[in-house]
Amino acid sequence: MSKLLIYGLTASTYVRTVRLLLEEIGAEYTLKSVNIFNGESQSPEYLAKHPFGKVPTLEVDGELLYETAAITEYLDTVLAERKFSPAEPMLQARMRQIMAIIDSYLYAPAIGTIVIQSLIVPSQGGKTDEAKVKNAIAPTQTALKAIESIARGSQYLLGDNVSIADFYLIPIFVYLAQTPVFDAVTAETPKLRTWWDKASQLPNVKKVCK
Ligand SMILES: N[C@@H](CCC(=O)N[C@@H](CS)C(=O)NCC(=O)O)C(=O)O
């Protein structure tokens, strides 16, 4: 098997998405640290790999691939015969829809505001901007309700088999669940609460999201 190199930070939700998939597949890979908090991800060296300075980037067979959706679907195809993508076309579309909702509507309010303000800012000696957190609750709830309406209500988001959609949402819930507003943002999405009770117990979640 080709050597897989993941550039990124263990704390990154998107890096965790890729690592959850790789761990679930049982693939070997190397994580090469690129820090997003000290300017390293904006260095000319890293921007040559990822022009937007985000993590993760995958390097395989001399190819550089960025964007978590592209990385995970590639890895699932070449390493797992698409075991982590539903075969049925509508379910496959639902998986991509959940990934896009997370990218476009959930990540910014949930991680960019609630988690950064509630967990990261205080951990660095700063003070949480409560107004920013309050304003981020409604858009977070809207995105979660959209995912809830798509979720199948069985063990995983799209049925009995874990999929890339779960690997997208799990790292976000790992952080959100540590914030004081977790109960408020998930109060109207009971299926996702039940999903989280089970998904959070997956052995690889404990391994990757610690
Ligand atoms: N669209 C990108 C998003 C990746 C992303 O936002 N990663 C965050 C870490 S979870 C990051 O690199 N943040 C650093 C920054 O915005 O400067 C993907 O799908 O990979």
Side-chain angles (χ1 to χ4, degrees), residues 76-134:
D76 187 29
T77 303
V78 296
L79 299 177
E81 296 174 340
R82 299 188 65 78
K83 181 176 167 200
F84 299 98
S85 309
E88 200 268 306
M90 181 50 81
L91 273 187
Q92 203 175 100
R94 293 296 185 195
M95 182 182 86
R96 295 213 174 94
Q97 189 182 17
I98 291 173
M99 292 156 68
I101 290 169
I102 291 170
D103 285 339
S104 303
Y105 310 115
L106 181 63
Y107 182 88
I111 299 295
T113 301
I114 294 176
V115 168
I116 294 286
Q117 285 299 325
S118 307
L119 304 180
I120 309 295
V121 168
S123 77
Q124 293 174 348
K127 194 171 174 323
T128 301
D129 185 332
E130 298 294 351
K132 280 190 182 167
V133 172
K134 199 170 163 220

Side-chain angles (χ1 to χ4, degrees), residues 137-158:
I137 288 177
T140 299
Q141 286 171 325
T142 300
L144 291 180
K145 277 191 226 164
I147 296 170
E148 168 105 351
S149 72
I150 295 166
R152 285 295 187 258
S154 42
Q155 191 171 5
Y156 297 109
L157 289 176
L158 296 171

Side-chain angles (χ1 to χ4, degrees), residues 4-5 7 31-32 41-42 70 75 89 96 109 121 144 154 156 158 168 170 174 190 199 202:
L4 303 172
L5 195 55
Y7 294 90
L31 187 65
K32 175 118 179 45
S41 55
Q42 296 298 327
L75 291 172
R96 295 213 174 94
V121 168
L144 291 180
S154 42
Y156 297 109
L158 296 171
Y168 257 67
I170 286 168
V174 166
L202 279 172

